[in-house]
Every structure is written in C-alpha cells, then in structure tokens.
Amino acid sequence: MSPVQILYLNPTAQLGGAEYSLLDLAGSLDRGRFVPLIACLGDGPLMQAAQARGIEAMPLELPSRFARLSLKGRRSGPVALAASAMSAAPVAWRIRRLASRAGIVHTNGNKAHVLGGLVNGRARLVWHVRDFWRGGAVERGMVRLANTRVDAVIANSAAVGGHLTRMGVSAPLVQAVPNGIDAVRFTPDGAAAPLRAEHGWPADAPLVGIVGMLTRWKGQDVLLRAFAGVLRSRPEARCVIAGDEIYVTQGQTGFKSELQQLVRELGIGHAVAFTGYRTDVPALLRALDVVVHASVEPEPFGRVVAEGMACGRPVIATDAGGVPEVTGASGTSALLVPAGDVGAMSAAIERLLGDRAEAGRLAAAGRQRILSTFSIAGHVERVQSIYERVLR
C-alpha cells in the first residue's frame, strides 16, 4: 500500500513554537506510512526550515487583509472577519485542490482550521489546537464546525483539551497529545551562546533570560519589573530578552518599543539586552543561569519551558495552563509562580541565583523529566495512531 499524504496547513510562514512543533512532527513521520506536505499561508523562513529537514513545502499567496485577522491580539470585528474571509476565497480553492491528493488535511492554527474546514472531498480533517480559544461568535462557529466536519482534534495539552470540551467540542473528538522535545538538539552538552561578550558584560555575570516572541501575553514586561527588584540585591546580574515580533496580525505589534521604554523608565538599561530573533536557541538557553517563562495568560503548553529543562537549566515559569503538565509540581523540576506576580517572580530569581545547589537539582530533574515524558518519537507515534484511526 502506498503511503498516505498528509497535507499540513499552517497559518503563517514565520517560525514560532507551533511551527517548530510542526516541523518535529512532519520531519519524523514514518515515511513508509505517511508523506508530509506543508502548505504555508504566505512565504517565510518556515519554508526553508521544512526543506532543510527534507519536507516538501509550498507557500500560498495570502491577501494582507486576511493575514492581519486576529482573534488573540486586537480582536478583529465581524465586518472585518467577513470581508477578509471573502478575500481568501482563491486560497481556499487552492487548498481544496491540494487536499484532493491528500488522505488527511492536518491544520495547525485558527485560520488554517477555518480554511481547512471548507475543504470537501475524501480527505480526513484533523485540527491541531495549540491555543486557548476565547469566547465569541467566531469560536462558537468553530465549535460547530469541529463537531460537524472534523474527524479528530489534537490538543497540545490536557488543559487545552479540557478547555475545548467545556466550550462544546465533542469529547470523543479531542485527544491531548503533548509536544515532543528534541533532547539531542536541546541538551546541556554543547556550546553556549557568548551573550555576555556580545553585550560587553563580565564573563561571570549571573544571567537571567526569557525566550519567545514579543507579544503582550508572553509577559516580558513582568520579567523586566521583577528583574529591577533583583538588581537591588544583586547588581551584578544581567538579563536578556530574546525574540521579536514575528506576527503581522492586529494587536501583535508595537510591544517591543513598549518594553524598551519600560527599561528606560526602570533605569535598568545597563543590565538588560534585547537580542532580537535568534535561531541558536539551544546555545542561548545553555548560556543562561536561569530560564524564565512569564506568560500572563494561560500557556497552552509551554514549549520554551520544556526546552530550557531539556538543556539542563533551572526554570521559573508561571503556574497556569499546560505548564504544570510540563514541569510537575513546583519545586520538583522547576519553580512555578502566579501569573503576573512581579514580587513572586523576583523572589524566585533571587532564590535560584543565590542557591546554586537547588538550581542544579532542578536542572537535573528537569532534564530527566523531558527525557522520560516528552520524546518526539512518542509524540509522533501518538499522532500517527490518530491518523490511522481516522483513515479507518
């Protein structure tokens, strides 16, 4: 029997956590059973990253009006949603033609879910939900679409899966499959990024950092306020904000300038650096004495939390969403703090900078937890079993 083609439909060609998870999945499929094809709404670095892993990928030209639609940043209104959906009709037609050659269409984001839901024909439809949906008319429509058109819904954490069923998605459709982490790439072994030298800091400066796209819900401002408190007792400490604004959707830009202004207002510019977008994330994580995750909204999974743990670094993360599924209870393999709590974040950073023994214990336990629970092979096999079930 010939392998089944899986058409992966992604709502952006930029590279964020959802895209790296998609690459890990598509690049690790059993090619005797499944053949991946990634179709991106737009063109960008995801194309090159896919091709470097031997995955066929193609861009789909996307109207700018549709690209800027947002359900998470500044929410688009119903008129804009309707007009933008109409502008995407040519894209939907091309997706339909691609889907005619696929056995499964696997969508990887809200816009992709909507466009994939318009596909008719023999292809099965699998949604991969990596976000907590907000309540609204669009989400209610997506629930109806899921229950009438979709063959399986993969949630990237039990927290997201439970959220979907509470919103009305039929429970038998929903399967929680946590992301896999490449523990060979994300490892304590290997070179560390020369962050201190890059920014003219002492080679022994304690270094705290956060890695991720710059957007308000990721809470980089919480870390900056917490770090200002840390500097009062540990003036030798330094902090890096790694990442950039990678999405063009409404309400997802302008945060970087706000963060830079906050640094000036706090008077901590000498001790803080913005690295911009980085592709050397494992080396960057290895350079940090403490990895911080600071999301002020529930994190669907917390990929950078898992990556920091895999690199053998002590991690501080916010206690919400899927993060506790990654870390376990606070103090076992990471420290958890309430979302948005500047004081608790500051105290946790000081605690780990001041107690290297505890930091080392958490780092070792975190690495072991990733190895035992979040392998890519396990993730891929669970997804492939879902493919086989819907094909039957």
Side-chain angles (χ1 to χ4, degrees):
M1 182 183 297
S2 300
V4 175
Q5 184 182 80
I6 312 296
L7 173 61
Y8 293 100
L9 183 60
N10 201 66
T12 177
Q14 301 304 313
L15 280 171
E19 287 69 43
Y20 281 112
S21 293
L22 173 61
L23 290 170
D24 287 340
L25 170 61
S28 302
L29 291 176
D30 180 349
R31 295 296 180 93
R33 298 153 68 191
F34 305 104
V35 176
L37 168 63
I38 296 178
C40 307
L41 303 184
D43 199 355
L46 176 57
M47 302 292 299
Q48 292 72 45
Q51 291 159 3
R53 298 195 190 201
I55 306 167
E56 184 182 358
M58 64 175 60
L60 301 175
E61 186 176 350
L62 190 67
S64 59
R65 173 181 287 181
F66 188 80
R68 288 186 58 78
L69 282 179
S70 175
L71 297 179
K72 194 169 181 69
R74 188 173 71 246
R75 190 178 181 92
S76 301
V79 174
L81 287 167
S84 299
M86 292 178 62
S87 74
V91 180
W93 178 252
R94 188 171 180 196
I95 292 169
R96 186 172 180 174
R97 292 185 63 185
L98 289 172
S100 69
R101 300 191 295 272
I104 293 175
V105 177
H106 182 144
T107 59
N108 197 47
N110 291 336
K111 292 176 187 175
H113 301 333
V114 172
L115 289 173
L118 301 177
V119 172
N120 294 313
R122 67 180 183 86
R124 303 298 185 182
L125 184 57
V126 174
W127 283 5
H128 209 140
V129 179
R130 303 180 186 274
D131 292 297
F132 288 103
W133 291 352
R134 298 180 179 179
V138 174
E139 288 83 1
R140 290 192 293 272
M142 291 176 70
V143 168
R144 289 192 294 272
L145 186 60
N147 288 337
T148 57
R149 177 66 185 89
V150 179
D151 297 283
V153 177
I154 300 173
N156 64 347
S157 67
V160 169
H163 174 77
L164 291 173
T165 57
R166 288 191 296 273
M167 289 195 70
V169 178
S170 175
L173 287 177
V174 179
Q175 179 76 44
V177 182
N179 294 329
I181 300 299
D182 186 348
V184 175
R185 180 170 176 246
F186 290 92
T187 172
D189 304 317
L195 294 173
R196 295 167 181 82
E198 288 176 13
H199 301 290
W201 294 333
D204 60 349
L207 190 56
V208 177
I210 188 169
V211 182
M213 62 179 177
L214 302 186
T215 187
R216 289 170 182 82
W217 75 274
K218 287 292 187 180
Q220 285 91 350
D221 56 322
V222 175
L223 171 58
L224 290 174
R225 295 181 190 280
F227 185 69
V230 171
L231 281 176
R232 287 193 284 271
S233 60
R234 300 192 68 96
E236 74 280 12
R238 298 293 183 265
C239 178
V240 293
I241 309 294
D244 215 332
E245 297 173 341
I246 65 172
Y247 297 130
V248 299
T249 51
Q250 298 176 33
Q252 297 276 37
T253 57
F255 188 50
K256 183 175 182 177
S257 61
E258 293 177 19
L259 293 174
Q260 292 169 329
Q261 177 60 30
L262 178 60
V263 167
R264 290 189 288 270
E265 292 173 0
L266 293 171
I268 58 176
H270 66 288
V272 174
F274 291 82
T275 72
Y277 182 80
R278 303 280 295 226
T279 58
D280 59 338
V281 175
L284 191 151
L285 290 169
R286 285 192 288 265
L288 301 177
D289 293 301
V290 177
V291 175
V292 172
H293 162 274
S295 294
V296 295
E297 296 179 13
E299 185 77 47
F301 175 76
R303 183 178 175 89
V304 74
V305 173
E307 291 171 346
M309 292 165 63
C311 284
R313 311 314 299 154
V315 172
I316 299 168
T318 53
D319 189 7
V323 169
E325 298 173 39
V326 176
T327 65
S330 183
T332 56
S333 61
L335 293 184
L336 299 180
V337 298
D341 191 327
V342 171
M345 178 72 75
S346 184
I349 294 171
E350 291 190 43
R351 175 177 166 182
L352 292 186
L353 290 181
D355 190 340
R356 293 303 176 94
E358 181 182 19
R361 178 186 64 78
L362 291 174
R367 169 73 178 174
Q368 187 55 45
R369 183 171 175 85
I370 297 303
L371 291 174
S372 64
T373 311
F374 298 98
S375 72
I376 289 179
H379 172 82
V380 172
E381 192 49 50
R382 291 182 67 180
V383 173
Q384 289 183 150
S385 69
I386 293 172
Y387 291 163
E388 290 174 338
R389 175 172 58 81
V390 301
L391 288 169
R392 289 195 298 269

